[in-house]
Every structure is written in structure tokens, then in C-alpha cells.
Amino acid sequence: MPVESAASLETNLLLKALRGFDRELLLPHLEAVSYGKGGTIFEAGAPVTHITFPCEHAVVTLVITTSDGRSAETATIGHEGAVGGIVSQGYVPASTHAIVQIAGPMLRIESAILQEAKRQSRHIRDLFARYSDCLLAQVLQSSACNALHPIEQRCLRWLQTLHDRIGSPVLPITHELLAAMLGVQRTYLTRILRVLQEQGLIKVGRGRITVLDRRRMEEVSCDCHARVRDHYRTVLGAVYDDGGLVGIDQSPGRFVASDPEADQRIRFIQPSPGR
């Protein structure tokens, strides 16, 4: 279903950061779609023909599945970003599965159309390059955390990431799904969650986990999530409050533009000394 109003862009922070001409480049080509929980946006090995933007509280997880059937999360994307060829520029085979973790509305655009919009708009090109860098940082930090930190730390990192993206302390996540994301057995994860609950950090319910003390959770967890958060702030202009990630600051002067061709033109027109 085509998007009829610019108001639809307000529910995804990456699109919301666009203004004027940049919005008009994308708006006619955005399509509203909806996925149920567990739905597949693309599979590993399949060509990525569209870029998909989760909206509102929808969340997508990028998952690696091994030949023996085990899986692990590499990145979690909510209303702050997009999935599908963001780093690779689209149309190349996907390296991961993109699975809907929390159902909700989404917007999507053909990869080729977005690439043309980037060509026409320096701001779109810069914004998506910054987001791509942040998404890659999340993937790399997640890989390091999975390799170096114990399951308790990895679990806390993952819960903080989800909390930031849905803006609610009530996380609609089952033990089965969380165990799959962390690559551990469900019974083992249940014991870990029980310990975290006894520490007063979370409350475990049927089909949900409630964050009780986010501040203490940050204090006792590894710094992997904090590193990613800081990178999003610095590189993308992400804005956080107690409820999570709430905006992307793209105000004039927020970033120093990076355009080698423009820099070359500036150097070319500089008057020589003494003139």
C-alpha cells in the first residue's frame, strides 16, 4: 500500500530526520507493509530488493543460523533504523536472516530507488552512511560480547537493546525466543533469568520480561551496550531519555559535512596568498 502522507514517516526516526526535498524524494516510493511476529523479511542468501523501516514498536532481529540449526542474534533494529542492504547498498545476497521479533507496521522502499535518492541528496547519503556505520558497530560489538562475555552479561546487553527500541520496560519476549537470540538452551536461560530476578533487575512473566531497575542493570552489565549507545549518539545524533531512543538530531551544524568533491571545489577557489 503506497504511503499517502508525510505523517507516516514520523513513526520511524531515520525517516523522521529527513526534511523538505529529502522527504519528497522518498515519500512517493515508500510502501506500507505489516509483518506478524516471527515473520521473515529476507533470508540469508536471498537478494535484498527492498530496504525496510520498522515503525512504532516493531522490532527486527538479524540472525545467523549455523549448519547444525543453532542461531544467534547479531543486531536488533527498531524504529531508529532500517534493514536490508543498508551496509552493502542492497541487491547483493543477504548474509543474515531478518526475522520480526515484535510485530508492527513498517515502511519499505526499493533498493534501487533509495540509491538514486542518495545520489540526488547529499543529506540522505550522509544520514544513511552514518546509520550504516552505527549498525555495523552494533554487529561488531555484539560479536565481541558473544565471544568474550558470560551469558549473564550478554542477556543484560540484549534486554537493554530491546528496551531502548520499544521505549517500554515491559518486553514482550518469551524464554524460547530469548534463548534462540543468545544461542543457549532454554533451561539454561531460565536459570539465568531467575538469578537476574532475584537481584531485583527484572521480573519474569508469561511471554514477557519487565525491566525493574534500568540504572542498576547498566551498572552491573558489561559496557558493550553503552559503547554502542555512545556511538549512535556521536555518529548518528541519537537522542535517548529514560524511555529509550526517542529521536535523531539532524539540526544544522550538528555534524561537519564530509564531501570530498565539495572540499576539492573549496580548495580550488581559495585565493592564493598575497592576492
Side-chain angles (χ1 to χ4, degrees), residues 161-271:
T161 299
L162 186 58
H163 183 207
D164 279 351
R165 276 142 185 79
I166 69 173
S168 168
V170 181
L171 312 179
I173 186 74
T174 64
H175 289 200
E176 289 83 0
L177 183 54
L178 181 53
M181 294 300 100
L182 297 174
V184 299
Q185 294 293 323
R186 181 188 182 281
T187 52
Y188 183 37
L189 176 68
T190 298
R191 293 198 298 269
I192 298 302
L193 292 176
R194 186 181 302 120
V195 171
L196 298 178
Q197 182 169 260
E198 290 171 353
Q199 294 175 348
L201 300 176
I202 62 173
K203 180 180 178 181
V204 180
R206 185 175 180 82
R208 66 180 182 276
I209 297 172
T210 303
V211 176
L212 297 180
D213 194 333
R214 174 62 187 262
R215 191 175 300 276
R216 275 196 59 223
M217 181 182 286
E218 293 173 354
E219 291 172 354
V220 302
S221 65
C222 61
D223 66 348
C224 288
H225 179 68
R227 285 174 177 265
V228 173
R229 241 192 179 205
D230 288 344
H231 196 74
Y232 269 73
R233 283 194 184 100
T234 303
V235 175
L236 188 63
V239 178
Y240 295 86
D241 65 11
D242 291 340
L245 209 167
V246 296
I248 295 176
D249 181 7
Q250 292 289 301
S251 55
R254 175 66 175 79
F255 300 111
V256 176
S258 178
D259 187 335
E261 294 181 1
D263 293 342
Q264 180 63 35
R265 289 194 297 271
I266 292 172
R267 286 194 296 271
F268 181 79
I269 64 173
Q270 290 295 327

Side-chain angles (χ1 to χ4, degrees), residues 116-129:
E116 176 59 22
K118 289 180 183 179
R119 189 190 67 79
Q120 295 186 46
S121 168
R122 180 176 172 181
H123 183 208
I124 292 178
R125 186 166 64 248
D126 183 66
L127 177 65
F128 277 80

Side-chain angles (χ1 to χ4, degrees), residues 12-14 41-42 51-63 73-87 96-103 105-106 131 134-136 138-139 158 161-162 164-166 181 232 245:
N12 175 277
L13 301 183
L14 197 61
I41 296 179
F42 54 79
I51 309 300
T52 302
F53 302 84
C55 299
E56 298 177 7
H57 297 128
V59 174
V60 177
T61 300
L62 301 183
V63 176
E73 164 263 357
T74 60
T76 299
I77 300 97
H79 70 316
E80 85 292 347
V83 296
I86 292 298
V87 175
T96 65
H97 296 280
I99 299 173
V100 177
Q101 185 183 104
I102 298 178
M106 303 187 194
Y131 174 71
C134 289
L135 181 59
L136 182 58
Q138 185 187 165
V139 171
W158 197 91
T161 299
L162 186 58
D164 279 351
R165 276 142 185 79
I166 69 173
M181 294 300 100
Y232 269 73
L245 209 167

Side-chain angles (χ1 to χ4, degrees), residues 126-154:
D126 183 66
L127 177 65
F128 277 80
R130 290 177 185 280
Y131 174 71
S132 298
D133 184 86
C134 289
L135 181 59
L136 182 58
Q138 185 187 165
V139 171
L140 295 175
Q141 195 71 46
S142 175
S143 299
C145 188
N146 289 341
L148 301 174
H149 295 147
I151 183 61
E152 294 86 352
Q153 300 289 329
R154 293 163 53 201

